[in-house]
Amino acid sequence: MSLDVQTDTDSEPEILTLPLDAWHRARGGRMVPFAGYEMPVQYEGIMAEHLWVRENAGLFDVSHMGQLTFSGEGLDAALEALMPVDMAAAKPGHPVYSLLLAENGGILDDLMLTRLESGDIYMVVNGACKWDDIGHFREHLADEITLNHMEEHALLALQGPKAVTALSRVIPGVEALVFMQGAAFAWEGHELWISRSGYTGEDGFEISVPAAGVEALADALTAQDEVKPIGLGARDSLRLEADLPLYGHDLDEETTPVSAALGFALKKRRREEGGFPGYDRIMAERENGPILKRVGLIVEGRQPVREGALVVDAEGSEVGKVTSGGFAPTVQKPIAMAYVPAASATPGSRITLTQRGKIHHAEVVPMPFVPHRYVRKGA
């Protein structure tokens, strides 16, 4: 993954710092370059942090992600021309998952958009491709549409079964939200946007906060007994267990929504009416099936396979690839996501993998590997 941010004096990518950079370092966060930023990969260890989130609450700094707002006449139609989202069904305060598509039906990014009470759209895009996304929007949206990159805002994710207990002490009222619902809140003079969502499979919240207030908010949250700061390493293993694909790894411009098993993002009205990039190819794959399909694998033994391992047929020829893999702390087994031939995508199918010259055997299993624990309306 790379970010097209260049310095004025050379061609090397500039590594940026987050508003909480010093905060992470002061708490022992091991910082690594990721998506163009110095990011904390772990504090006390990925295994311990992963299990803490599954039982308590973890605070993730995801300020590298892009926060955008859109406004202007004809906005709904303009966004529908780039994505398979049904904007007519996008109610205020209810985040919607969608896909920014290329003309060939490949995925340029996966994102969350929310209609605000004002009618404007708030959107969160992946950090690794936010600058490409912004360029794509500016190229394809009419001049009447205003795009604002909220560069002065940070983004926190508080995830885990005790997240609601901890956050409601600091910001009363958040407990009234349910999964995929958001609202504006005020805290210590700062305007926040909080949605009950996340990318770990756990109950939790994503909090947009002005950069000027993020350190105080992070302090207030980690002062709660249930909350520890968590690094990117555990975020990756948590989302893998939860069947949440990561752009740049499990999704890219060569994969379509159908092959990526993201058909739920193709809304019914849009499937019937069309009008989004790659429509003909995507609908043909829906009808006839894709050549390759994203599946979950349980790998035999204790040694994990990693991204880049090959799926091979009986003759040893490459027929697919692993896009994410590792030892799953909750499952206590090596797991992976992989693209395999559609004929081998049924749960129970046996898969052969090669990694660094070594053969591994795996079985296709239903995902998620760990059940989601979202708090839904009426639950």
Side-chain angles (χ1 to χ4, degrees):
M1 302 169 73
S2 63
L3 192 66
D4 293 331
V5 178
Q6 305 293 322
T7 66
D8 293 334
T9 56
D10 59 51
S11 59
E12 292 298 318
E14 179 185 4
I15 302 298
L16 305 176
T17 55
L18 303 171
L20 283 180
D21 186 87
W23 189 92
H24 295 305
R25 296 177 190 276
R27 285 154 182 78
R30 185 161 75 82
M31 308 297 281
V32 300
F34 179 80
Y37 292 84
E38 286 281 323
M39 300 280 290
V41 66
Q42 62 177 316
Y43 294 86
E44 60 181 298
I46 293 173
M47 179 75 75
E49 292 171 33
H50 179 115
L51 296 174
W52 179 269
V53 174
R54 288 278 185 243
E55 297 297 327
N56 298 281
L59 183 67
F60 300 85
D61 183 2
V62 289
S63 300
H64 65 300
M65 301 182 76
Q67 298 184 72
L68 314 175
T69 59
F70 298 83
S71 60
E73 187 175 350
L75 177 58
D76 284 10
L79 294 179
E80 285 195 352
L82 303 177
M83 295 180 279
V85 63
D86 181 356
M87 293 300 296
K91 300 177 182 177
H94 290 267
V96 177
Y97 178 84
S98 194
L99 303 165
L100 190 62
L101 296 175
E103 286 301 321
N104 70 351
I107 300 171
L108 297 174
D109 198 4
D110 65 332
L111 54 86
M112 297 288 291
L113 66 84
T114 308
R115 188 187 302 281
L116 305 177
E117 291 292 344
S118 64
D120 294 355
I121 297 297
Y122 167 68
M123 183 181 294
V124 178
V125 302
N126 278 295
C129 45
K130 67 181 177 184
W131 298 109
D132 289 339
D133 291 358
I134 291 170
H136 188 81
F137 282 122
R138 285 183 169 150
E139 179 182 354
H140 291 88
L141 295 179
D143 292 342
E144 289 76 16
I145 307 299
T146 299
L147 186 165
N148 174 41
H149 183 196
M150 300 166 62
E151 293 184 89
E152 300 305 317
H153 277 66
L155 189 65
L156 301 177
L158 186 66
Q159 299 284 293
K162 298 180 182 177
V164 64
T165 302
L167 184 59
S168 62
R169 277 195 216 108
V170 179
I171 306 172
V174 296
E175 66 278 6
L177 299 174
V178 295
F179 180 59
M180 296 299 271
Q181 187 177 29
F185 290 83
W187 180 79
E188 299 288 329
H190 300 291
E191 295 182 356
L192 313 179
W193 178 261
I194 301 177
S195 62
R196 199 159 188 170
S197 58
Y199 222 63
T200 62
E202 296 293 334
D203 182 28
F205 300 84
E206 293 183 319
I207 308 162
S208 175
V209 50
V214 68
E215 184 168 328
L217 181 56
D219 282 342
L221 293 173
T222 52
Q224 310 300 308
D225 290 342
E226 301 90 347
V227 181
K228 288 184 178 181
I230 305 295
L232 286 176
R235 183 174 173 83
D236 191 53
S237 56
L238 288 158
R239 68 89 194 167
L240 175 57
E241 287 185 339
D243 179 23
L244 298 169
L246 181 61
Y247 195 83
H249 299 259
D250 312 296
L251 310 176
D252 59 30
E253 294 183 33
E254 302 304 316
T255 57
T256 68
V258 180
S259 63
L262 297 176
F264 66 89
L266 306 168
K267 300 306 180 186
K268 184 174 184 293
R269 178 176 69 80
R270 305 304 313 285
R271 297 199 307 269
E272 294 172 350
E273 297 180 3
F276 55 83
Y279 176 78
D280 290 343
R281 178 188 176 190
I282 290 170
M283 297 311 291
E285 286 191 356
R286 272 183 59 87
E287 182 173 347
N288 304 317
I291 296 174
L292 297 175
K293 192 170 183 179
R294 183 174 65 87
V295 300
L297 301 175
I298 295 283
V299 182
E300 293 181 356
R302 299 288 289 178
Q303 184 176 348
V305 295
R306 305 292 184 182
E307 178 182 1
L310 301 180
V311 179
V312 298
D313 61 16
E315 286 72 43
S317 299
E318 177 184 347
V319 294
K321 64 179 180 180
V322 170
T323 50
S324 291
F327 189 84
T330 310
V331 179
Q332 285 293 300
K333 293 179 181 176
I335 64 173
M337 288 183 189
Y339 282 84
V340 305
S344 301
T346 305
S349 298
R350 304 287 297 171
I351 300 293
T352 302
L353 308 167
T354 67
Q355 177 177 259
R356 297 174 183 169
K358 187 174 180 179
I359 299 294
H360 300 262
H361 297 288
E363 179 180 339
V364 177
V365 297
M367 290 195 284
F369 298 96
V370 174
H372 295 162
R373 296 200 285 186
Y374 305 136
V375 174
R376 300 181 185 277
K377 186 177 182 180

